[in-house]
Amino acid sequence: MVATWNPAANSGYYVSQTDYYIEGKHNSAVWYNPSNQFGIYDRKTVESTEFENLFAGLDPDGETLLPASGRRSDRTPAFDYTLSAPRSMSLLWAGASPATKSAIEHAQAEAVRAVLKLLEQEASYARRGKGGTVYEKVPIAAACFPHCDSRPALHGDGREFGDPNLHTHCVIPNLAVRSDGTVGALHSTVLRDWKMAAGATYHAALAHNLQKLGFAVDRIGHNGVFEIAGVDDDIIEYFSARHNEIVDELSTLGTTGKDSPALASSIAKSTRAAKISSQDISSPEIWKEAALANGFNVNALESMALEAAKNKELINESNSILESYRSGVINELMETRSVVDRRDLVRAGTACLVGSGLGAEQISQKIERLLGDQDFVVLGSDAIGALRYSTPERIRIERNVVALSSNLAREKWHEIDPNDISAQSKCAGLSSEQSVAALRACSSSRIACVEGSPGSGKTTTLAPIVAAYKNAGLRVLGAASAWRIANVLRDDLQIESRALASWLERDRHNQNFLDNRTVLIVDESGLINSEDTHTLLQAVEKSGAKVILVGDRDQLQAIGGAAGLPLVARAVENAHVTTIVRQKEAWARDAVTAFGSGDAVTALSAFAERELLIETEGETAAIKEIGDRWAKLRQINPVASTLLIAKTNSEVRAINEQIRSRLKNDGVVLGPEITLRTVTPSGHAASINLAAGDEIRFLKRNDDLGVINGTTGTVLSVAAHPGKEVRSDQVIEVNIHGRKVRFPLSELVDSNNRIPISHAYASTIYGSQGLTVDHAIVLLNPTFDKHDAYVAASRSRDSTELVINKRLVNKSMFFCANGYDTNRDIEPSQAERISWLATRMSRANIKESTVDLMDFEAHKLVTHHIRPAEKRLDLEMEV
């Protein structure tokens, strides 16, 4: 069940699909047009001529609606919001009584109108003025085409037919009447950006309509997706052949619908177009026969669903949704950011009420109540005037980070003799830039920041700092966002070091770890969010200690809200170490610098010139290429360290399997195998095979075993019947950095009977930050941004190779356009692929803090001479 958004490539595409949209056995199409634009009345049946005329920018009489400047041949004629019901609802409809069938169709139609009403209220704008910098709210019109099946697809039992699939194409002509009566184009970016909120609104309205019919919803997932209670997963899976076909196509390319939503919807559209003239082989009789042949009864679903709706647990679940609503919305929105847009608030505020039984008007009131009760407050607005929000608590925290940093910077601490620092720096072979940073870090202030590029020798710079403080009789501790990085800090600097969360947990239990003679060095502090930074600075303030933050704002962003380091940097003069020294070759250092500055085209071209940008035909070929190159490096120097890096967990798993199969062939992994039911870092179920010789990674801390999240080890022995999933009492023996540990898997099993272990041959980009290796091989994909590229390309001393699935890039270029000319039949050249990829890999995705937005709004107030009384939020308020 999804809401997809697609621009039309050209008017010819949609005109050629007229039969698909208007004719056939589908229900009559109607207009959504409450403002009655273009002489077309709301809920009027769509007619072919007027439909095609609006695509061409003509009114129903065939007269042009557009000014001369808007009659370009390459204009986008329309946008297609496609709203697809859950498969359980489509199956229920397929076997329902005539009265129920009609009621379900009405429920779909009203949910569609709820979405279009939302888009008209929140996301419908026209641009005008020089450069299109003036935004005007305008009404929209949409031709709504209800369809009841998908394109024919091959099912698991060999049958080929179209599945029941209630969906509505809301085709919005790229035209709107402005306030002065002229017609202009819609602001497509705003319409696109409201897709997730539109989806949540659709899910909520549909669930409400179904509940009114006596049905219940369950299996509520991300953004409010759901299924109807009483319709089992088995029948849903069988009748999802078309969906599975698209998933398989994406899998062949090496991506998923979640990773590449635009590509997924475009593949669906393109493959549908290819089959548009195929024989219609979808009907209730075919569905019924296929269901019975597979042990299902479509006609029994209505009674089964109505019976399931009487379940008291489902009724109680509706009540619990309302009880946890406020905290649920706050937690979801603030978990990953500090500032949220209007569309984010509407999306989360709506999705969290799916299944509650509330209608659209009641949901809108609940969202506005969040604002009225000051759960969220307005901080400012975006370019079109849409409001932006945060919570009072997050505002208070991020202001306090700046205030605490300012206070600590002013307070005097133990003086360190500058001559001692200089001597230590000279002895350590520091450059002048590193020496200056070391001096500044050892100033008498209680807080210092050292920011540096990846591979610029930040750890080397820390060595004389640690030595100088120890010489002065002071205690030095280390911390980092992850245990793995903390352990590297411990080994490199010979200091006690822990994950920051572990130190802060001690502080919460009054086990004070700091005092007025302790320096705490926090590595990779750019990964620490503002809340944890706030807690850390409070602990430093009350203890009388000093803190030195070491990190880089241009690498990966904090997991959670805005990063704390930029807030600290507002009050503390940073020491910068920018000269990269990790890479041995000058061109490689220059390429890393180019990635960091957003000049990805220069960086990618440098790799291509040296044949280190390797293009392959498909995901399988890309994974094999990585295996081949890993094997070659291993043959040349078996003791050299090689890091294999990918963006997604699924890519990492594929690389792990590739390397493991080679190690089995080489006899490194050998003997009996066991199959473990595991869990991925993102919480999804998976399974892996384990045998002696396997390199594994623990994904959960266990003090009894002495492991943390990220600890690696080598399996020494297993004993089980090969190929069979084992019980959790199975015993294995592992070498963990020289320690032989023998334990039953039950010591690691979670509440879902899954064991948090993975193979350790490859790593995600997040898992690689902070590591230095001899060689790196990176699986590059079109979802990389500037931060991903900067980190992945900067890990190795000797060589970095970038492997690309060329087929995925080509399809992404065609479907996602982004400046690429899609009106050609020939494959793009490598130079064109590099140019297209560079555009995406040059994008920065810095998480904005509340302080950033308040500063921006204050600047707007000054430059536009707005009186303070007109401000939406008193920027000087105490929260």
Side-chain angles (χ1 to χ4, degrees), residues 794-806:
S794 61
R795 297 302 95 202
S796 73
R797 305 180 188 90
D798 294 327
S799 71
T800 298
E801 299 170 280
L802 308 179
V803 178
I804 298 177
N805 175 353
K806 183 173 71 171

Side-chain angles (χ1 to χ4, degrees), residues 324-337 340 345 348-349 352 370 374-376 390-394:
S324 62
Y325 176 66
R326 175 180 172 274
S327 60
V329 176
I330 293 173
N331 291 340
E332 179 176 344
L333 288 176
M334 291 292 105
E335 183 180 18
T336 58
R337 70 202 96 174
V340 298
L345 180 61
C352 286
L370 292 172
Q374 295 281 292
D375 292 315
F376 291 89
S390 189
T391 63
E393 176 66 6
R394 186 60 58 86

